[in-house]
Amino acid sequence: MKKFRKVLDGLTTSSPGGTMGSPSCGSAAGTPTAAPTPKEIDVQETLVSENFQLCKTVRHGFPYQPTSLAFDPVQKILAIGSRSGGVRILGRPGVDCYCQHESGAAVLQLQFLINEGALVTACADDTLHLWNLRQRRPAVLHSLKFNRERITFCHLPFQSKWLYVGTERGNTHIVNIESFILSGYVIMWNKAIELSTKTHPGPVVHLSDSPKDEGKLLIGFEGGTIVQWDLRAKKADFRIYYDEAIHSVSWHHEGKQFMCSHSDGSLTLWTLRNTTKPFQVTFPHGKIQKDGRKESCKPILKVEYKTSRSSEPFVIFSGGLSYDKAGRRPALTIMHGKAITVLEMDYPIVEFMVLCETPYNNEVQDPYAVVVLLEKDLIVVDLTQSNFPVFENPYPMDIHESPVTCTAYFADCPPDIIPILYSIGAKNKKTGYSHKEWPIGGGTWTLGSHTYPEIIITGHADGSIKFWDASAFTLQMLYKLKTSKVFEKPKPGEGRAAELGEEDPFAVQMVSWCPHSRIFCVVGISAHIILYRFSKYDANTQIVSLEVRLQCEPEDIITPSENENNPCFSEPGSHSPQPHHQHPLSPGSRTPDGAKDSIPCLKVKDKMVRVPPGYQSDLVIQLLWVDGEPPQQITSLDLNSAYGLLAFGNCNGLAVVDYLQKTVILCISTLDLYGATDPYQRLTRSPRRNRQSTSGLTELTDNQQSIDMERSKSPTSVKGPGRKLSLPTDLKTDLDHVNGHCTSPTSQPCSAGKPRIPMGPEGPRLTRRGPGRPPFRKAQSAACMEISLPVSHTEGHASRRAMLQQLHGVTMYSHDEHHTTAAYCWNERESRENSFSRSRSSSVSSIDRDTKEAITTLQFGESYGRKSDALPTPCLWVGTSLGVGILIPLSIPTDHEERMEDPVTVGPSGAVQMLKGSVLRFGFLDCNGALIQSPYEVWRDLNAPEDPDRTRRRKLVHFSPSSSQDAFGEGHLAVVCSERQAKVFLMPSQSCLFVHNITESSFVLRADVVSLCNSVCLACFCANGHVMTLSLPSLRPLMDVNYLPLTDMRIARTFCFTNEGQALYLSSPTEIQRITYSQEMCDNLQEMLGELFTPIETPEAQNRGFLKGFFGGNAHTFDREELFGEAAAGKASRSLAQHIPGQGGVEGMKVAASGAVGELARARIALDERGQRLGELEERTALMMTSAETFSKHAHELMLKCKDKKWYQF
């Protein structure tokens, strides 16, 4: 039992938070108070640092920017290389492994050591790597770095330990796979071609051994030269010179002919009997025009020539389409006999590979499928059926079908939610797939012992939502929801897209989901919210729409005042936004000066619509345009099914909606939330000024600044104009200074685009400091966020600012996107000069320049609205971008009938807490340190047939803090985390018990109170890539790992924690990376991952027969060791390539142990098979002995019967 002894009398003034330039925690005015509570807190904290370890678990999705492909026909596993140096290895569903080259160089080519559990990768930095796949986490055993040559092509013959490596200079080197040492045997390009040739043949683009004789190597040069090299005699058997460049070569299995693909869209067939000219030249897609000439065609990048026992040979190639037909999609062509089938693809083809039954190249291939790797998809075509259907892909390769804009992760969900979502989603699955089993079925995978229901939700740019089953380190799509169906399709040239240049008006910005009540809420980029209810029945429904005018009035303009040091509070309601429950104006309504007013960005369908089973829209909330200005993006959202309430906020204010009665119960500006508890002194607002015209781009002058208002583009868009507003020079400094450093997204002001009165350096400033607060706090988001996005001219600055604003949803503005280059250079120069001479902006100093205060987080829960409250009541916790936490009590009728009729009332603001940086998260613990869950409503199907025996009343589940009163009486603990700081308050006394400054040099991007090992902790992800965990309630640091040295905005925007020590983020536009920070899960990770290698007996080669063996050459007597070994070929030059040993230490021991285990397993299988064969032989011998005895017996009986007969008696 660990005891924390804190004397609460005057605690807040002596806490660390009191010395950081913040008001005291005890009360809003900063005066310390003594809470009427016991003086001793006993909380048993079970979590220690040994419970935490950070590691990657599994990666889902399509490999980003793929480059290469390989397949092991015996193990039946597939490998995909990418431009960033990653390798994904796929087997049966559940077998999915990700490897990463430390160099990050692009993977040019992959070669499996077939049925050996190893993989060779050739990278763009001219390095070969040997990966051991006989372990669940593959590791590099050897590397070979070429110093003087560039690798262009590799070939590894089946069951050979010598790898042929072609280079850009046209030379061919040979590498020993076992030792990864270069052989002294080299085929130089000038020896391969004739001495009389005047031009260089070009890089090596093809290497393959002859199916007829392994001692013959076919070398293809890019310039059109093909050479068959006799490895024993060290000379060329024949040379072919062709006019067109060669892209690929493919042998016939008999080794008597081969096919080449060329840059002019032609295929040439060559026979070994006559190599002077091609046996056949075909242009598969080149038609003869009227003038007699053939159409010019695109290059055929790859061709495969495969034979079949039961039918004509297959010729499969990519490319070769004619140039004349514009707009044609990339295609894969299958020529089978006289039939030509063109399969059009959605994306360009990167690579394809034909899957065959046999690994031997001198046998009939019998192709059964072709794997096609596209730029953004992976498909497998069934070749055994005449219509060539596609196999249904069991991997989640379509995460990026529309770009991912937000993610949510839920662990330990209710067990019934996954089956019901799957059953609903299965009804909408596509059909027409091949009925055969998925052909990539290698590896083994079993359901681990540490499994529980997990769901991942992804929001996309087209407005779609996908629910994924993420249990047991797998990912399978359950259900897809399209939010755009709620709205009318915007007509071209109308609506928000035309007004603001918005490409994705339905893009999902954030989601909120209650798994218990199955209520789902979506926030879109067009300032709209859609609330969905789940039903197993279809229904005809009328979509209910609420319109909210959440826009501050122009009185918020700052004007210098003589009385700036006098506290002058505004009258309540003077700036409050107003809700609109009806359409006050038609969709095309405009103000007298022509500006849009009181209309939403999108139009909701007003007709009855039939909705299928699943999530059905129950309510749509939209923010309205005000005086020609579009609504600000929504920055925070929370819903509670037990209360029937939904709250959301932006940089203008807060709104609370009763979704049961479909009414707005609160719509208020952030300033009016404080009431008399405002911790800042604020000036009165000036009278309303005439609005400046917003048409066109206003040039920056001495008397006015640009007020051009355009909504920033969608989360998926990086280019193009953004919503703009000129800022004072000192604020623009902080926005533009992003080269290597970046200020906090939430600490920037959020303006509604009102004109400002320019102020000089000596001009008066608005001061809103509380008692004892210094004029400027330290940099709120100081330089610690290295961003790997390119920064080039204004586009880079604009895109990074746009992504920063999306991170917390707070809009930031700039006016330099459309200025000329000269103007930009001037602004950038001024920005750099000012960045060294002025203080960086912070959450507090920002209010000296702007009036906006964004709502950054919201949380419903049972709490104590005031210090005098004896019992907990429903409350709404509100966190703002100025580090203020506000508690709003709610009065909700408890009776079912009263709840549906009587209004919900909102009390005046209660407690106000102060933290450094924007508030990110609230959490609640009871006085024993256990997590208090939010109350919820048990799910009920509103469309179900009425049952007279069962009432349709709401069933609520509450987790009241008053139920835990063992040793501490009534009350609970409130955990508040901001960008810089975490605090734990005791409610209802509002005393600050614990304070921890999380970071001084960076800022927190994501924080959450999560459960782990039957306890709770605070998990934080910082902008500098650190992942931290803090104990609760004492806020002791438990883990601090520098996980991501460079954090880009995609990771920052999609990173999310969940319970049981798991987290995820979008590692690339197409991939989700899951990680764990739990030591227990790291220990059990090996058994939960799939096994890539399984011991399988290599199929035996077919008997060649006496005549084929006699006339077919001595292919099986070829000894490569005798030719390429050090004894015969000598050593290669040390300067040519450098050997780099693989990972040593424990990893190397694991590799060796894993390899030994694999060898033992293979030996055991071999012994079992040998024993089985011996057993079969023994049985056959016994049968033969029995048969012989029976024959002897019958023969003896016959002899006795016939021995006395004469010959003539027969």
Side-chain angles (χ1 to χ4, degrees):
M1 175 76 70
K2 186 166 184 178
K3 296 187 177 182
F4 303 100
R5 303 180 183 275
K6 295 276 184 180
V7 180
L8 301 179
D9 228 357
L11 174 66
T12 54
T13 54
S14 61
S15 65
T19 63
M20 301 305 294
S22 60
S24 300
C25 306
S27 65
T31 11
T33 58
T37 54
K39 295 184 179 181
E40 185 174 305
I41 305 174
D42 291 342
V43 177
Q44 182 177 6
E45 292 189 1
T46 58
L47 289 178
V48 293
S49 58
E50 286 74 18
N51 294 120
F52 296 90
Q53 180 184 348
L54 191 69
C55 67
K56 295 180 180 180
T57 54
V58 68
R59 181 172 291 208
H60 302 298
F62 180 77
Y64 183 57
Q65 294 180 331
T67 55
S68 52
L69 186 68
F71 182 72
D72 188 327
V74 179
Q75 289 289 320
K76 295 192 181 303
I77 55 177
L78 186 77
I80 302 173
S82 69
R83 192 176 301 175
S84 60
V87 178
R88 284 283 291 280
I89 305 174
L90 304 170
R92 68 176 66 247
V95 179
D96 188 341
C97 179
Y98 174 77
C99 316
Q100 175 67 44
H101 292 90
E102 291 184 0
S103 65
V107 180
L108 299 180
Q109 197 174 352
L110 299 166
Q111 284 279 318
F112 274 107
L113 277 66
I114 295 177
N115 205 29
E116 294 293 330
L119 176 71
V120 175
T121 58
C123 296
D125 59 351
D126 306 308
T127 306
L128 298 173
H129 303 275
L130 177 64
W131 293 82
N132 179 20
L133 305 184
R134 298 192 178 206
Q135 57 190 62
R136 296 177 190 262
R137 291 284 183 132
V140 174
L141 294 178
H142 300 282
S143 297
L144 188 66
K145 168 73 173 175
F146 281 76
N147 297 322
R148 295 183 298 179
E149 301 230 36
R150 306 293 312 270
I151 299 173
T152 56
F153 195 86
C154 298
H155 171 64
L156 180 65
F158 179 46
Q159 294 181 326
S160 169
K161 67 176 184 179
W162 298 96
L163 174 72
Y164 302 113
V165 181
T167 67
E168 193 175 43
R169 292 185 180 179
N171 303 324
T172 302
H173 300 274
I174 301 172
V175 179
N176 188 321
I177 291 299
E178 293 179 350
S179 61
F180 240 57
I181 295 176
L182 208 59
S183 169
Y185 193 112
V186 183
I187 305 173
M188 305 299 290
W189 68 270
N190 52 358
K191 294 183 180 179
I193 65 173
E194 292 179 345
L195 296 176
S196 59
T197 306
K198 297 181 180 179
T199 57
H200 190 278
V204 175
V205 296
H206 177 80
L207 292 169
S208 62
D209 52 331
S210 170
K212 189 177 180 181
D213 186 354
E214 294 178 350
K216 306 293 179 68
L217 182 68
L218 194 69
I219 307 173
F221 298 92
E222 188 181 56
T225 302
I226 300 174
V227 177
Q228 179 167 291
W229 184 262
D230 190 331
L231 295 169
R232 302 183 196 86
K234 299 182 180 180
K235 66 176 184 178
D237 284 347
F238 62 83
R239 299 178 177 92
I240 296 174
Y241 299 97
Y242 195 66
D243 297 335
E244 294 295 335
I246 294 174
H247 286 282
S248 69
V249 182
S250 182
W251 279 99
H252 188 279
H253 82 275
E254 293 179 352
K256 298 178 181 179
Q257 57 185 7
F258 58 86
M259 185 175 290
C260 302
S261 67
H262 300 278
S263 58
D264 62 347
S266 65
L267 297 173
T268 56
L269 186 64
W270 302 82
T271 62
L272 300 190
R273 290 182 179 180
N274 182 12
T275 58
T276 57
K277 62 178 182 178
F279 177 76
Q280 185 181 10
V281 180
T282 57
F283 287 83
H285 297 295
K287 297 180 180 180
I288 300 177
Q289 298 176 342
K290 295 181 179 179
D291 55 1
R293 293 184 303 173
K294 287 191 176 180
E295 291 179 322
S296 57
C297 297
K298 299 177 183 179
I300 295 179
L301 301 178
K302 183 178 180 180
V303 63
E304 293 222 24
Y305 186 21
K306 302 297 181 182
T307 54
S308 174
R309 286 188 178 87
S310 58
S311 63
E312 295 289 327
F314 285 87
V315 177
I316 304 173
F317 61 90
S318 62
L321 299 176
S322 62
Y323 282 106
D324 297 338
K325 296 183 179 178
R328 287 193 66 173
R329 295 190 292 178
L332 182 80
T333 305
I334 302 175
M335 300 172 63
H336 189 209
K338 295 182 180 180
I340 299 179
T341 304
V342 179
L343 304 178
E344 290 190 338
M345 305 295 169
D346 294 331
Y347 307 102
I349 298 174
V350 175
E351 174 74 286
F352 75 90
M353 182 164 289
V354 179
L355 309 187
C356 302
E357 295 288 352
T358 176
Y360 298 94
N361 65 346
N362 58 356
E363 295 180 358
V364 179
Q365 300 298 288
D366 278 332
Y368 58 89
V370 55
V371 179
V372 187
L373 178 64
L374 308 177
E375 277 191 1
K376 294 184 179 181
D377 202 1
L378 176 74
I379 64 171
V380 182
V381 181
D382 187 356
L383 295 178
T384 61
Q385 301 183 41
S386 58
N387 59 338
F388 303 126
V390 175
F391 288 93
E392 185 176 5
N393 197 328
Y395 314 126
M397 293 291 183
D398 57 346
I399 293 176
H400 62 284
E401 185 178 17
S402 175
V404 178
T405 54
C406 73
T407 57
Y409 192 7
F410 300 87
D412 205 9
C413 299
D416 59 335
I417 192 69
I418 290 180
I420 189 65
L421 285 174
Y422 181 80
S423 63
I424 297 295
K427 299 176 181 178
N428 301 321
K429 277 194 173 183
K430 298 178 181 178
T431 57
Y433 293 110
S434 173
H435 299 293
K436 294 195 172 183
E437 188 179 354
W438 178 252
I440 305 168
T444 56
W445 179 78
T446 56
L447 194 65
S449 56
H450 298 76
T451 58
Y452 41 83
E454 299 175 71
I455 286 182
I456 294 173
I457 300 176
T458 56
H460 300 265
D462 63 351
S464 61
I465 303 286
K466 292 182 180 178
F467 290 77
W468 306 85
D469 178 10
S471 309
F473 287 163
T474 61
L475 196 69
Q476 181 182 12
M477 196 173 82
L478 298 173
Y479 175 72
K480 182 177 180 180
L481 174 67
K482 294 182 179 179
T483 63
S484 59
K485 290 187 175 180
V486 174
F487 303 100
E488 301 282 358
K489 290 183 179 180
K491 297 179 181 179
E494 293 184 11
R496 184 176 187 275
E499 293 281 346
L500 303 173
E502 180 59 63
E503 293 179 352
D504 302 306
F506 307 112
V508 178
Q509 198 171 356
M510 66 181 76
V511 297
S512 180
W513 185 46
C514 178
H516 300 282
S517 62
R518 302 182 188 176
I519 290 181
F520 184 61
C521 200
V522 179
V523 174
I525 198 172
S526 297
H528 64 273
I529 301 174
I530 310 174
L531 187 136
Y532 290 91
R533 288 179 177 270
F534 188 84
S535 175
K536 295 188 290 185
Y537 305 92
D538 57 359
N540 292 320
T541 181
Q542 175 80 37
I543 301 174
V544 181
S545 175
L546 283 179
E547 295 179 353
V548 179
R549 188 184 177 96
L550 192 58
Q551 194 90 351
C552 289
E553 295 300 324
E555 285 80 5
D556 288 344
I557 304 168
I558 301 174
T559 302
S561 172
E562 305 85 10
N563 305 321
E564 65 171 4
N565 293 324
N566 298 332
C568 300
F569 297 96
S570 58
E571 296 180 5
S574 59
H575 315 293
S576 297
Q578 298 297 323
H580 286 253
H581 304 280
Q582 298 177 352
H583 299 270
L585 299 171
S586 64
S589 298
R590 295 181 180 270
T591 56
D593 58 355
K596 282 191 173 184
D597 187 67
S598 300
I599 60 171
C601 297
L602 301 171
K603 183 180 179 182
V604 179
K605 291 181 178 178
D606 53 3
K607 299 179 181 179
M608 291 287 292
V609 292
R610 186 164 187 83
V611 289
Y615 274 104
Q616 302 168 352
S617 57
D618 185 64
L619 177 65
V620 177
I621 305 169
Q622 290 183 282
L623 300 187
L624 300 175
W625 286 63
V626 176
D627 296 335
E629 294 176 4
Q632 299 287 345
Q633 290 184 12
I634 295 168
T635 58
S636 55
L637 171 77
D638 191 40
L639 65 88
N640 189 281
S641 57
Y643 303 159
L645 299 179
L646 181 149
F648 62 93
N650 61 9
C651 62
N652 287 330
L654 168 71
V656 181
V657 174
D658 183 346
Y659 66 79
L660 296 178
Q661 299 184 19
K662 307 293 190 295
T663 57
V664 180
I665 63 174
L666 178 67
C667 187
I668 190 171
S669 69
T670 315
L671 178 61
D672 293 330
L673 279 175
Y674 293 102
T677 61
D678 191 352
Y680 299 112
Q681 296 181 7
R682 308 175 193 258
L683 291 182
T684 54
R685 303 297 188 259
S686 65
R688 179 165 182 164
R689 297 178 179 271
N690 294 330
R691 180 169 304 279
Q692 304 290 338
S693 172
T694 59
S695 58
L697 180 66
T698 308
E699 293 296 331
L700 183 62
T701 64
D702 294 335
N703 297 323
Q704 78 169 35
Q705 298 188 7
S706 169
I707 55 172
D708 185 10
M709 294 299 300
E710 288 189 21
R711 165 79 62 179
S712 61
K713 299 195 70 168
S714 73
T716 59
S717 177
V718 182
K719 299 181 179 179
R723 180 190 259 183
K724 303 172 291 297
L725 174 70
S726 274
L727 297 176
T729 305
D730 50 358
L731 183 55
K732 245 186 64 54
T733 298
D734 295 321
L735 292 179
D736 283 343
H737 188 65
V738 293
N739 274 325
H741 304 295
C742 153
T743 56
S744 162
T746 56
S747 59
Q748 303 295 349
C750 186
S751 171
K754 309 297 185 292
R756 299 177 180 276
I757 304 299
M759 292 181 292
E762 291 80 19
R765 289 180 179 272
L766 173 69
T767 56
R768 296 160 67 187
R769 303 197 301 271
R773 184 178 295 278
F776 289 95
R777 195 185 289 167
K778 281 187 180 180
Q780 173 61 29
S781 310
C784 251
M785 191 164 183
E786 298 287 344
I787 303 179
S788 57
L789 294 175
V791 181
S792 60
H793 299 287
T794 57
E795 179 182 307
H797 286 75
S799 63
R800 289 171 78 164
R801 280 198 300 275
M803 297 190 77
L804 278 168
Q805 85 181 45
Q806 294 160 17
L807 183 60
H808 291 276
V810 178
T811 313
M812 299 178 295
Y813 304 105
S814 156
H815 74 284
D816 61 348
E817 280 87 337
H818 283 295
H819 282 198
T820 62
T821 306
Y824 166 73
C825 295
W826 184 87
N827 290 332
E828 184 183 39
R829 183 166 59 251
E830 179 196 48
S831 172
R832 290 178 178 173
E833 292 171 358
N834 292 335
S835 65
F836 293 100
S837 61
R838 305 178 192 270
S839 299
R840 302 289 296 273
S841 71
S842 67
S843 289
V844 172
S845 60
S846 292
I847 62 176
D848 293 342
R849 302 170 180 139
D850 201 285
T851 62
K852 299 303 176 197
E853 181 179 3
I855 307 295
T856 54
T857 184
L858 297 165
Q859 180 71 50
F860 285 104
E862 301 281 324
S863 187
Y864 301 86
R866 291 169 187 80
K867 298 180 182 180
S868 58
D869 288 351
L871 295 175
T873 57
C875 292
L876 174 63
W877 289 74
V878 181
T880 75
S881 58
L882 297 188
V884 181
I886 308 169
L887 185 58
I888 301 177
L890 305 169
S891 177
I892 304 175
T894 54
D895 184 72
H896 177 71
E897 285 77 12
E898 292 179 355
R899 177 65 187 87
M900 302 306 294
E901 296 176 2
D902 295 350
V904 175
T905 57
V906 179
S909 302
V912 173
Q913 287 87 23
M914 296 295 301
L915 287 88
K916 294 195 300 181
S918 302
V919 180
L920 300 179
R921 185 68 65 186
F922 295 108
F924 310 113
L925 310 177
D926 62 22
C927 294
N928 292 324
L931 185 65
I932 301 176
Q933 302 288 345
S934 296
Y936 63 86
E937 175 191 1
V938 178
W939 174 72
R940 56 197 177 101
D941 198 335
L942 298 180
N943 296 333
E946 294 189 6
D947 187 354
D949 298 333
R950 300 179 63 182
T951 60
R952 301 291 296 272
R953 301 176 65 89
R954 301 172 68 225
K955 182 180 179 181
L956 308 182
V957 177
H958 287 271
F959 301 92
S960 176
S962 61
S963 61
S964 301
Q965 304 177 9
D966 297 342
F968 195 51
E970 297 180 356
H972 73 91
L973 303 177
V975 182
V976 187
C977 183
S978 73
E979 287 181 331
R980 290 294 200 84
Q981 204 174 45
K983 291 185 179 182
V984 176
F985 296 92
L986 175 64
M987 305 299 291
S989 67
Q990 303 175 15
S991 303
C992 181
L993 301 184
F994 302 99
V995 181
H996 179 73
N997 294 318
I998 300 174
T999 176
E1000 289 294 337
S1001 58
S1002 183
F1003 57 95
V1004 179
L1005 293 170
R1006 288 287 183 268
D1008 210 343
V1009 177
V1010 294
S1011 61
L1012 176 67
C1013 300
N1014 298 318
S1015 186
V1016 291
C1017 66
L1018 177 64
C1020 303
F1021 175 59
C1022 292
N1024 57 6
H1026 283 246
V1027 178
M1028 307 177 186
T1029 56
L1030 306 173
S1031 67
L1032 289 177
S1034 65
L1035 298 177
R1036 290 180 298 108
L1038 297 174
M1039 181 188 73
D1040 186 353
V1041 178
N1042 186 8
Y1043 175 63
L1044 292 169
L1046 293 178
T1047 303
D1048 62 19
M1049 283 302 98
R1050 183 191 316 106
I1051 296 175
R1053 196 175 64 247
T1054 57
F1055 196 102
C1056 52
F1057 292 101
T1058 188
N1059 295 327
E1060 308 301 335
Q1062 294 203 72
L1064 65 80
Y1065 59 90
L1066 210 65
S1067 58
S1068 73
T1070 62
E1071 294 169 290
I1072 290 176
Q1073 177 68 58
R1074 292 166 67 178
I1075 63 174
T1076 180
Y1077 48 94
S1078 164
Q1079 177 67 55
E1080 181 183 6
M1081 182 165 288
C1082 290
D1083 294 340
N1084 298 318
L1085 190 58
Q1086 292 296 324
E1087 68 174 73
M1088 300 179 74
L1089 296 175
E1091 188 83 44
L1092 292 174
F1093 179 78
T1094 53
I1096 300 174
E1097 186 70 21
T1098 302
E1100 297 181 359
Q1102 295 178 357
N1103 293 328
R1104 291 167 58 85
F1106 173 75
L1107 293 177
K1108 284 189 176 180
F1110 185 77
F1111 294 106
N1114 53 350
H1116 293 277
T1117 61
F1118 177 60
D1119 187 2
R1120 294 186 177 90
E1121 182 69 31
E1122 183 180 342
L1123 286 175
F1124 307 146
E1126 187 176 334
K1131 293 184 178 180
S1133 173
R1134 292 185 179 180
S1135 62
L1136 182 61
Q1138 176 187 0
H1139 176 260
I1140 304 171
Q1143 298 175 356
V1146 177
E1147 191 65 35
M1149 292 173 60
K1150 289 180 180 179
V1151 168
S1154 177
V1157 169
E1159 290 296 335
L1160 287 174
R1162 295 183 66 185
R1164 190 179 298 112
I1165 287 180
L1167 285 174
D1168 292 343
E1169 292 180 348
R1170 184 170 179 267
Q1172 185 178 356
R1173 291 174 183 173
L1174 287 175
E1176 293 175 355
L1177 181 62
E1178 186 177 354
E1179 290 177 0
R1180 291 176 185 174
T1181 305
L1183 287 174
M1184 290 177 65
M1185 290 177 63
T1186 304
S1187 178
E1189 290 176 359
T1190 304
F1191 178 77
S1192 174
K1193 181 181 179 180
H1194 286 303
H1196 183 68
E1197 291 175 353
L1198 184 64
M1199 183 267 295
L1200 293 177
K1201 183 178 180 180
C1202 302
K1203 68 177 181 177
D1204 296 333
K1205 291 185 179 181
K1206 304 296 181 182
W1207 63 270
Y1208 53 81
Q1209 292 178 334
F1210 288 100

